[in-house]
Amino acid sequence: MAANHGFHATMTALPGKGAEVVELLLNAPSLPHPDCVVFLVGRSAADPDTVHVTEGWTSEQAHQAFFATGPAQALVAALEPLLTGDSRYTDEVPVGGKAVF
């Protein structure tokens, strides 16, 4: 499946909460979702409380429909008290590459 919609988000966790943010994201309900074809989580090497997420979805509509679900809203609610300020989003459509973990 091709990613036709995506974004890169940068979140800043409260001091010392970066690991909790990463754990929540790595257990996100979007990971098994068939329309989510890219979901990568990373941390800044210089500041472990800065967390990056790259997502790629089959369509913008699929992404919007997913985030209207209860599990997605629960994830957002769990993340909010761990974050400081607004997350920064950049539109991005993943086109290829490699990830090995």
Side-chain angles (χ1 to χ4, degrees):
M1 279 192 189
N4 296 302
H5 170 75
F7 61 89
H8 180 81
T10 299
M11 297 172 249
T12 303
L14 293 169
K17 297 294 185 180
E20 288 181 58
V21 170
V22 167
E23 183 177 348
L24 282 170
L25 290 168
L26 290 177
N27 291 302
S30 54
L31 288 176
H33 195 285
D35 288 314
C36 181
V37 296
V38 176
F39 191 90
L40 299 173
V41 178
R43 289 172 90 172
S44 166
D47 178 4
D49 291 324
T50 299
V51 179
H52 305 284
V53 178
T54 299
E55 292 189 32
W57 289 79
T58 56
S59 70
E60 184 174 1
Q61 295 78 14
H63 178 243
Q64 290 174 350
F66 169 74
F67 271 92
T69 67
Q73 292 299 309
L75 172 64
V76 171
L79 285 169
E80 284 179 349
L82 300 174
L83 301 176
T84 179
D86 292 330
S87 299
R88 295 176 306 280
Y89 291 88
T90 304
D91 69 316
E92 175 179 49
V93 178
V95 295
K98 178 180 178 179
V100 177
F101 298 98

